[in-house]
Amino acid sequence: MQQITIKALARELQLSVSTISKALRDSHEISEATKRRVLQLAARLDYKPNPYASSLRGRKSRNIGIVIPEVADSFFSLAINGIAAVAKEKGYHSIICLTHEDNKDEQAILKDFQSGRVDGVLMSVSGTTENGAHIRALMDHGVPVVLFDRVLPDVPAPKVVTDDAASAGNATRLLLKNGCRQVAFLGLSPRLSISADRLSGYESALREAGHRPLAKNVLCCDADAHRNLLAIKRLLRRKDRPDGIVAAVEKLAPLVYQACNELSLRIPQDVKVICFSNLEIAGMLQPSLSTVTQPAFEMGAKAAGLLIKLMAGKRVEMEVVVGSGIVGRGSTGGSGKLPNRTFPNDTGSN
Amino acid sequence: MQQITIKALARELQLSVSTISKALRDSHEISEATKRRVLQLAARLDYKPNPYASSLRGRKSRNIGIVIPEVADSFFSLAINGIAAVAKEKGYHSIICLTHEDNKDEQAILKDFQSGRVDGVLMSVSGTTENGAHIRALMDHGVPVVLFDRVLPDVPAPKVVTDDAASAGNATRLLLKNGCRQVAFLGLSPRLSISADRLSGYESALREAGHRPLAKNVLCCDADAHRNLLAIKRLLRRKDRPDGIVAAVEKLAPLVYQACNELSLRIPQDVKVICFSNLEIAGMLQPSLSTVTQPAFEMGAKAAGLLIKLMAGKRVEMEVVVGSGIVGRGSTGGSGKLPNRTFPNDTGSN
DNA sequence: TCTTTCTACGAAACCGGTTTCGTAAATAAA
DNA sequence: TTTATTTACGAAACCGGTTTCGTAGAAAGA
């Protein structure tokens, strides 16, 4: 239990704690001979400096907070890897906090972060978050924040997003091209940028094709899978039911499949489906799922890079847009089995 | 940037820092009137105590470390939720660290944890870990550890596991029952308990049915998906190729599907497949995937509960076994479309 | 030789809480 | 009324590092 402290090293070597500290930090004030002795003993005793003591004195934690709705989502798990890779390289630890799509949890986490626990925060807001007051409050306390993917318009923080509107438009156009007459849109809270932007891309594509966007074809889902399933089934039981679905978040795809299954609707014959998703196994679903695939790892890495600059006091671009790609597979019908991949339309500014 | 410290509160209220601290911690030494004043001001200024200062003085961090191979795995993401739920309730923060199945990363993380960063560790070891020396080293430094799912025999820490051998045996028997003549087993490193135990369950089931377990039908995979895919294809290209596959970890399922697809082998007609997995969308794969499903959330919660007891200095049971269930679906052929679910054979000792 | 400049180290303050201990004033017991 | 006890608070030590500042002795310059 008794940790090996710097004091123990000092006693052992008959040196002062300040000398040990300086030696460990390779200060020029310490002779090479002494440094060697200190380093050797530290290695032998497997000494690890207490991070809390360092944080306290240095007034920085070398921790970054990652605040996301959940981890069981391939976009977020890939983004985490991107973030962690950059953070680790720069000597930062990542603290992952999950909101479970609950704004109350999100607020509590950001409140906690006012304590100085982290030097900066990367976040993707929850589906129940109405505005960015809690994020601004954190920023007012001097904690830099970078938003990625799910951003909010009223937060003056740098943002890393994909070309949501364009991608949703492309997805919608693919469905229309493949014969859909009535395309529905499944999103989350319209307060979320990804919902709003993807919705507007969907609407533009409809208008462009001479269709009128209809409110009844737009469904706002939430974190309750069961309720979402019921809503989707209600949508698909309508007499004038949609024959195409653009789903804006990954977790909705299985629900659409399940709903179709339970209602004996065939994909893609009766309903064509495309979903924003990074699922590796999209191609092995029944039928294989067409997706809008985001560069999740790169977005995480980019966001982490921005945050690190920000924490160093540098100025950074306020919006980075990276392109997503569409992978057409079985669920959108069309040209057959081969995936017709469109390349990311890279409108990025990095 | 300037955090609100306890000193600021003291100055504002013309009290000493010790009085503020005691008031905030509801000490009996402080009058109700003073407590009220302090609490009010703290609330008004949105004061949050610096966790590092508290940790330093109290010599405990109220953090628990979660060390797992990856997060893009439904077992682990569910387990995290179970852990976090319990931890949060007990006032602990969770620090998630990913090893990416790399023993070097795992060692580095545990080394870091010797610093006092966490009060206890929950872990599921990486696929490249050969032994538990690094875990024992951490424990020798007084940090309690609880292993879950992927455990090692040579670590004297409490373990939370499923009935791996029994479940793998059941999975194998299901394949045999459905007509397989030659069942292969895909695992990770045989050093891992889950690989070894599941393998032995598979072998027992084979012997029980009068088959001889063959080394050529056992494949040890690793973290390299491409290499794994090649190995699986090699297995399935053999003249006497297996007609059944038991896959011991979730990430192998898509690879088996892909290999069959590329080799034009039909599931379940040519090859029947069952996999240890918690994937929600297993039922929507092409064909739907039969699974051995573990109670991931409960395992995480149970492990966290044990760790918390351990950190409180209590003694706990050294091994908790919880049952897994088999969900038979399309990939194992057999009785048709309806999933034939076996209930978890609960041999748990909790 | 005497002064100046390094070199190499130690003492002590500091980060922001927590806790022990001491104490003045108020209250209770003798 | 005197003594004992309780109440309510402040001073200071402490956690384990980091950093500033001071200085003895050696080396270099005058």
Side-chain angles (χ1 to χ4, degrees), chain A residues 132-154:
Chain A
H134 55 312
I135 307 176
R136 291 198 306 271
L138 180 63
M139 294 170 68
D140 288 344
H141 279 259
V143 180
V145 174
V146 172
L147 300 179
F148 68 100
D149 194 46
R150 299 197 194 174
V151 306
L152 287 171
D154 65 337

Side-chain angles (χ1 to χ4, degrees), chain A residues 109-180:
Chain A
I109 291 165
L110 295 198
K111 264 274 157 55
D112 177 61
F113 281 174
Q114 287 185 9
S115 66
R117 186 184 293 280
V118 296
D119 296 340
V121 172
L122 289 168
M123 80 180 283
S124 213
V125 304
S126 92
T128 56
T129 296
E130 302 270 303
N131 64 68
H134 55 312
I135 307 176
R136 291 198 306 271
L138 180 63
M139 294 170 68
D140 288 344
H141 279 259
V143 180
V145 174
V146 172
L147 300 179
F148 68 100
D149 194 46
R150 299 197 194 174
V151 306
L152 287 171
D154 65 337
V155 177
K159 303 174 172 76
V160 176
V161 295
T162 47
D163 50 353
D164 289 304
S167 298
N170 289 338
T172 308
R173 275 184 285 273
L174 175 60
L175 293 182
L176 294 172
K177 193 193 79 181
N178 288 357
C180 292

Side-chain angles (χ1 to χ4, degrees), chain B residues 68-91:
Chain B
I68 54 178
E70 57 186 327
V71 86
D73 175 295
S74 58
F75 173 80
F76 290 121
S77 52
L78 287 169
I80 287 175
N81 289 341
I83 293 168
V86 172
K88 187 178 163 193
E89 194 213 317
K90 301 288 186 180

Side-chain angles (χ1 to χ4, degrees), chain B residues 139-170:
Chain B
M139 294 171 68
D140 288 345
H141 279 258
V143 180
V145 174
V146 172
L147 299 179
F148 68 100
D149 194 47
R150 298 198 195 173
V151 307
L152 288 171
D154 66 337
V155 177
K159 303 173 171 75
V160 177
V161 294
T162 47
D163 50 353
D164 289 304
S167 299
N170 290 338

Side-chain angles (χ1 to χ4, degrees), chain A residues 23-308:
Chain A
L24 290 172
R25 321 197 84 237
D26 201 27
S27 160
H28 65 91
E29 300 185 14
I30 305 299
S31 72
E32 290 305 320
T34 304
K35 280 182 191 170
R36 248 196 315 280
R37 289 177 63 213
V38 172
L39 265 344
Q40 269 181 18
L41 183 65
R44 190 160 65 75
L45 297 187
D46 215 8
Y47 165 78
K48 294 285 160 188
N50 182 314
Y52 301 130
S54 309
S55 293
L56 186 56
R57 169 64 216 226
R59 295 155 143 272
K60 53 186 162 44
S61 65
R62 297 206 72 78
N63 283 149
I64 65 178
I66 304 176
V67 182
I68 53 178
E70 56 186 327
V71 86
D73 175 295
S74 59
F75 172 80
F76 289 121
S77 52
L78 287 170
I80 287 174
N81 290 341
I83 293 168
V86 172
K88 187 178 163 193
E89 194 212 316
K90 300 289 184 178
Y92 283 89
H93 277 81
S94 308
I95 297 184
I96 301 167
C97 295
L98 307 177
T99 62
H100 304 289
E101 302 282 13
D102 184 341
N103 182 243
K104 290 267 172 293
D105 283 11
E106 186 172 285
Q107 290 189 17
I109 291 165
L110 295 198
K111 264 274 157 55
D112 177 61
F113 281 174
Q114 287 185 9
S115 66
R117 186 184 293 280
V118 296
D119 296 340
V121 172
L122 289 168
M123 80 180 283
S124 213
V125 304
S126 92
T128 56
T129 296
E130 302 270 303
N131 64 68
H134 55 312
I135 307 176
R136 291 198 306 271
L138 180 63
M139 294 170 68
D140 288 344
H141 279 259
V143 180
V145 174
V146 172
L147 300 179
F148 68 100
D149 194 46
R150 299 197 194 174
V151 306
L152 287 171
D154 65 337
V155 177
K159 303 174 172 76
V160 176
V161 295
T162 47
D163 50 353
D164 289 304
S167 298
N170 289 338
T172 308
R173 275 184 285 273
L174 175 60
L175 293 182
L176 294 172
K177 193 193 79 181
N178 288 357
C180 292
R181 306 284 309 162
Q182 190 168 190
V183 178
F185 178 87
L186 311 186
L188 292 178
S189 158
R191 312 272 183 154
L192 280 179
S193 56
I194 55 162
S195 283
D197 292 351
R198 291 172 190 179
L199 178 60
S200 81
Y202 150 86
E203 289 176 339
S204 314
L206 285 188
R207 284 202 201 86
E208 194 184 286
H211 296 256
R212 192 142 52 92
L214 300 170
K216 65 174 182 178
N217 284 339
V218 173
L219 196 58
C220 287
C221 300
D222 58 28
D224 184 334
H226 184 63
R227 190 161 51 211
N228 294 338
L229 178 63
L230 291 182
I232 294 169
K233 284 169 75 172
R234 202 177 314 125
L235 181 74
L236 290 174
R237 255 200 300 257
R238 254 178 24 207
K239 224 175 310 181
D240 59 334
R241 64 163 174 74
D243 56 0
I245 291 182
V246 176
V249 291
E250 182 170 298
K251 61 161 32 168
L252 296 176
L255 298 180
V256 172
Y257 273 55
Q258 191 177 343
C260 287
N261 196 26
E262 293 181 10
L263 298 177
S264 298
L265 292 171
R266 294 162 303 165
I267 303 175
Q269 293 90 337
D270 300 324
V271 182
K272 302 193 197 323
V273 180
I274 185 166
C275 183
F276 278 75
S277 169
N278 287 72
L279 269 180
E280 267 186 67
I281 51 174
M284 290 150 203
L285 289 177
Q286 164 84 298
S288 62
L289 174 65
S290 297
T291 57
V292 178
T293 300
Q294 298 167 279
F297 185 97
E298 291 74 15
M299 288 175 71
K302 181 69 191 174
L306 291 184
L307 182 63
I308 285 170

